[in-house]
Every structure is written in structure tokens, then in C-alpha cells.
Amino acid sequence: MPPAGAARMPISGIITVRYNDLDKFGAKSEGIRIEGRSGGLVIAPMAGIIRFAGPFKNYENMVIIEHENGYHSPVAGL
């Protein structure tokens, strides 16, 4: 388990897209995509407060977590 305040991956799996990877159009990724096991446990990447949970545009279900120092983690595709 990481120390308090440290970031961790929200699910175990294979990283299929990394931050700043280029897509087929040359656009940079603004996050990561992890291919996890169907029904796998998803956890918060760091401690924080849930500011939004529900369907959002093309991301399916999304949770937005607010962390200290103004950081946010959008966790989507759940």
C-alpha cells in the first residue's frame, strides 16, 4: 500500500494509453487508459472528496475526486 498522500493506480490491469501518447490523428492523450478485468475493483487514486458521480458525455459513468492543493482525478469508463 502506498504511503498516505501518494498516488496509486485506480485499477490493476494493462496500461493501453499513456499520458501524452499520440492517437491516430496526432492528438496527445490527456490521461491514461487502463484495461482492467471486467467487474474489477476500482479505487480512488488518492484520498479526496467526490465532487461528481454519474454519466458524463461519452465517458459513460464518471467519478471526479477533488484532492488537496487543487488536484482532481476524473475516473471514467466504469
Side-chain angles (χ1 to χ4, degrees), residues 10-65:
I11 190 169
S12 295
I14 299 167
I15 297 175
T16 58
V17 176
R18 295 182 184 281
Y19 185 77
N20 274 340
D21 278 356
L22 299 178
D23 68 12
K24 64 182 178 182
F25 303 108
K28 290 184 180 180
S29 166
E30 295 183 350
I32 63 171
R33 181 177 298 268
I34 304 168
E35 185 178 316
R37 179 177 50 86
S38 179
L41 177 66
V42 179
I43 61 172
M46 292 183 352
I49 299 169
I50 295 174
R51 294 297 184 191
F52 175 83
F56 184 78
K57 297 188 179 186
N58 294 327
Y59 293 101
E60 301 175 17
N61 289 323
M62 174 184 271
V63 177
I64 299 175
I65 306 164

